[in-house]
């Protein structure tokens, strides 16, 4: 048997081929600095050719390409996530622009008082992080953290870490964020189960990383809030008057923007809750109602993630936009502005899904399943280890999630797991995708800049926080998986 045949037809050869493909992918992203979308696409095509797949299967023919790995890989996942991510982005934009973050901050600070301010900041990140992407959440909430830390007279770290833990937890574990939504499509699990298990696994990690670790390290690393981070010096600082709010200006510097009377906390909370309640209603309805039930049909329609988010967006447009004086044209401009960064994100997810599709078609997934079965390593542990390795090596949580999802999907499909078990495997992948954030992660540098941290301080605070969040959340998922599976 020649070397080529050995690589293409034997379990060790297929595993070597998969390992080489991942190594090339990481080299292209880390060393060559190639855009992940291009790197994933090139590596996927190269792996397909190296594995001996027919060209017609890889890219189709000149007449018909609809059944090719390239089109089904991209189209299958993008058909599932594009609408959800787009609507989720728009919802987050209208909530932010209306002053919802400021309202939540003021309410939480009043509720918990000065001593409970760090916990209030954690809840702020947790609540506002559901509809808002991680980096956008930092841009929006950082100026509010500056003000709270300056008034409290304590380290900026004490207030920032809980908020960052809340944003990171929702970004990694809960739809409509890209990672969990992509996993829903890759692994074939409903978003309702992902929401349920996201809260169950993510909240203990949030408490351990954001509240316990944040309070501990915030008392040991003191970071001042530079005056230039604030709109005015502390002796002139007053609470924002009604109709005014502090928002992120250029470079993260706080500026004051005059708006209409701010929305109520109840209204903001209700809008955020609408899609979650509708999606969960459909999930529970599937479990509790007869499949021919008329009520189930209604719950399924309105609980479809795209429909649920569309309803929330339309309500937000009216109550936070039109009713407060915004024109339809202004809301359209806001929508277009918020959607601009989404394009590359969707391309990365689509390319990652194509890469995973190629891995499945080559038979590597089956070979990996046989190897893991022989080694006695549970699928959920394998999923976590692969995701951790990819995250540490190349820095992108999204790339780690979609690549791991593609590798693990054949293993999940072959075992016939329940929806809850698959959701827990998805949580393990999500947990692995955030471990050990360091200098190859763009978020690392955003946090260092926005919270006045040196590289050493960022490693001591943020990197450890992410690792605790990852390990604790995975531990919860693994324990539950052992019980239910």
């Amino acid at each position: 048997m020649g070397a080529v045949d050995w690589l293409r037809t034997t379990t060790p050869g297929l595993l070597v081929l998969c390992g080489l493909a991942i190594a090339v992918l990481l080299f292209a992203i880390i060393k060559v600095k190639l855009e992940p979308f291009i790197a994933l696409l090139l590596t996927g095509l190269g792996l397909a050719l190296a594995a001996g797949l027919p060209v017609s299967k890889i890219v189709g023919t000149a007449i018909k390409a609809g059944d090719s790995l390239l089109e089904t890989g991209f189209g299958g996942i993008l058909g599932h996530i594009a609408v959800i991510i787009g609507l989720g982005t728009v919802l987050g934009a209208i909530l932010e622009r209306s002053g919802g973050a400021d309202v939540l901050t003021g309410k939480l600070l009043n509720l918990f008082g000065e001593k409970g301010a760090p916990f209030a900041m954690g809840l702020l990140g947790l609540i506002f992080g559901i509809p808002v992407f991680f980096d956008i959440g930092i841009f929006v909430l950082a100026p509010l953290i500056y003000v709270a830390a300056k008034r409290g007279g304590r380290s900026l770290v004490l207030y920032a870490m809980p908020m960052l833990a809340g944003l990171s937890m929702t970004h990694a574990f809960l739809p409509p964020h890209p990672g969990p939504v992509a996993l829903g499509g890759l692994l074939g699990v409903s978003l309702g189960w992902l929401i349920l298990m996201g809260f169950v696994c993510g909240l203990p990690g949030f408490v351990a990383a954001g509240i316990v670790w944040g309070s501990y390290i915030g008392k040991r690393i003191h970071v001042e809030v530079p005056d230039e981070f604030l709109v005015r010096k502390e002796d002139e600082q007053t609470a924002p008057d009604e109709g005014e709010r502090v928002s992120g200006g250029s470079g993260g510097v706080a500026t004051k923007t005059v708006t209409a009377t701010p929305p109520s906390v109840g209204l903001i909370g209700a809008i955020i809750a609408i899609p979650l309640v509708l999606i969960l209603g459909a999930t529970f309805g599937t479990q509790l109602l007869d499949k021919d039930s008329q009520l189930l049909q209604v719950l399924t329609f309105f609980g479809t993630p795209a429909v649920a988010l569309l309803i929330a967006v339309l309500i937000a447009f009216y109550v936070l936009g039109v009713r407060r004086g915004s024109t339809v044209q202004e809301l359209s401009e806001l929508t277009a502005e918020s959607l601009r960064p989404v394009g590359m994100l969707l391309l990365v997810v689509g390319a990652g899904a194509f890469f995973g599709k190629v891995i499945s078609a080559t038979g590597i997934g089956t070979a990996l399943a046989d190897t893991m079965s022989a080694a006695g390593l549970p699928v959920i542990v394998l999923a976590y280890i692969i995701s951790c390795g990819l995250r540490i090596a190349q820095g992108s949580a999204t790339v780690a999630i979609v690549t791991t999802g593609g590798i693990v999907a054949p293993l999940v499909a072959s075992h016939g797991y329940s929806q809850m078990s698959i959701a827990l495997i998805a949580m393990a992948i999500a947990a692995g995708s955030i471990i050990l954030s360091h200098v190859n992660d763009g978020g690392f540098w955003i946090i260092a800049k926005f919270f006045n941290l040196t590289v050493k301080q960022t490693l001591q605070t943020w990197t450890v926080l992410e690792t605790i969040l990852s390990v604790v959340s995975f531990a919860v998922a693994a324990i539950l998986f052992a019980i239910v599976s």
Side-chain angles (χ1 to χ4, degrees):
M1 180 184 291
V4 174
D5 288 336
W6 179 81
L7 282 173
R8 292 176 174 178
T9 59
T10 68
T11 295
L14 286 170
L15 293 175
V16 168
L17 202 58
C18 181
L20 287 173
I22 293 174
V24 170
L25 171 66
L26 296 176
F27 177 81
I29 294 173
I30 298 169
K31 294 296 184 183
V32 182
K33 306 298 183 185
L34 200 60
E35 174 61 46
F37 158 60
I38 301 296
L40 282 163
L41 185 58
L42 283 174
T43 308
L45 290 171
L47 175 59
L49 292 171
L53 295 178
V55 171
S56 59
K57 185 172 184 178
I58 301 171
V59 296
T61 66
I63 298 174
K64 183 180 180 182
D67 296 331
S68 67
L69 291 174
L70 184 61
E71 290 204 10
T72 57
F74 267 86
I77 189 66
L78 293 182
H80 177 73
I81 72 168
V83 176
I84 299 172
I85 291 177
L87 289 170
T89 302
V90 174
L91 178 61
I94 186 66
L95 288 171
E96 182 272 320
R97 191 67 61 88
S98 70
D102 308 68
V103 172
L104 284 172
T105 303
K107 182 67 175 180
L108 290 171
L109 287 174
N110 290 336
L111 182 63
F112 290 98
E114 191 55 50
K115 289 185 178 180
F119 184 71
M121 295 299 99
L123 286 180
L124 176 67
L126 200 63
I127 296 169
F128 204 70
I130 292 173
V132 173
F133 286 177
F134 178 77
D135 52 351
I136 303 300
I138 293 176
F139 304 153
V140 172
L141 299 180
L144 308 176
I145 299 295
Y146 305 154
V147 173
K150 195 72 173 180
R151 290 175 183 165
R154 292 187 282 178
S155 174
L156 185 56
V157 173
L158 186 66
Y159 295 84
M161 290 302 113
M163 183 273 289
L164 291 171
L167 289 177
S168 182
M169 178 270 182
T170 53
H171 180 76
F173 296 102
L174 295 179
H177 292 279
V181 172
L183 286 173
L186 290 167
L187 302 182
V189 58
S190 75
L191 294 193
W193 275 111
L194 289 176
I195 291 171
L196 283 174
M197 294 302 102
F199 278 116
V200 170
C201 299
L203 285 176
F206 160 74
V207 172
I211 307 305
V212 178
W213 170 252
S215 297
Y216 173 83
I217 198 66
K219 295 172 182 175
R220 286 159 178 79
I221 296 180
H222 189 80
V223 177
E224 294 285 349
V225 183
D227 286 341
E228 63 267 24
F229 277 29
L230 297 165
V231 64
R232 293 170 296 191
K233 295 188 183 299
E234 176 61 19
D235 58 1
E236 300 172 347
Q237 192 74 43
T238 59
D241 299 322
E242 185 173 301
E244 297 177 343
R245 67 184 183 94
V246 180
S247 62
S250 176
V253 178
T255 58
K256 185 183 288 185
T257 303
V258 178
T259 68
T261 303
S264 68
V265 172
L267 179 60
I268 295 297
I271 292 174
I272 292 174
I274 284 170
L276 299 181
V277 171
L278 290 174
I279 293 170
L280 289 174
T283 299
F284 284 121
T286 302
Q287 302 295 318
L288 301 175
L289 299 174
D290 183 87
K291 64 179 182 179
D292 297 322
S293 166
Q294 189 67 35
L295 177 58
L296 178 59
Q297 302 304 312
V298 173
L299 290 174
T300 300
F301 178 79
F302 288 105
T304 300
V307 176
L309 281 165
L310 178 61
I311 291 170
V313 167
L314 293 176
I315 292 173
F317 273 174
Y318 176 71
V319 298
L320 299 179
V322 174
R323 203 172 70 177
R324 292 161 59 81
S326 296
T327 65
V328 174
Q329 182 179 353
E330 288 171 342
L331 292 173
S332 296
E333 291 172 356
L334 171 64
T335 300
E337 179 185 345
S338 66
L339 289 175
R340 285 193 188 101
V342 172
M344 183 54 71
L345 173 64
L346 292 176
L347 288 174
V348 170
V349 173
F354 164 65
F355 182 71
K357 196 86 171 179
V358 170
I359 287 176
S360 178
T362 58
I364 293 172
T366 303
L368 196 58
D370 294 340
T371 302
M372 291 305 106
S373 297
L377 192 62
V379 172
I380 194 167
V381 176
L382 172 68
Y384 182 67
I385 291 173
I386 294 174
S387 185
C388 285
L390 289 168
R391 160 65 169 193
I392 294 169
Q394 51 79 43
S396 169
T398 302
V399 171
I401 283 175
V402 296
T403 305
T404 306
I407 294 171
V408 172
L411 314 185
V412 173
S414 65
H415 279 76
Y417 289 119
S418 67
Q419 285 282 290
M420 182 177 179
S421 296
I422 299 174
L424 289 168
I425 294 172
M427 293 304 102
I429 296 173
S433 76
I434 57 173
I435 198 171
L436 208 65
S437 169
H438 60 97
V439 294
N440 64 356
D441 177 13
F444 179 94
W445 299 106
I446 292 174
I447 288 159
K449 172 188 174 184
F450 271 78
F451 298 107
N452 197 32
L453 300 170
T454 65
V455 171
K456 180 180 179 181
Q457 289 172 333
T458 311
L459 289 168
Q460 291 173 321
T461 57
W462 164 248
T463 302
V464 176
L465 181 149
E466 284 283 83
T467 303
I468 293 172
L469 178 59
S470 170
V471 172
V472 172
S473 298
F474 168 68
V476 175
I479 291 170
L480 289 175
F481 185 81
I483 294 172
V484 303
S485 300

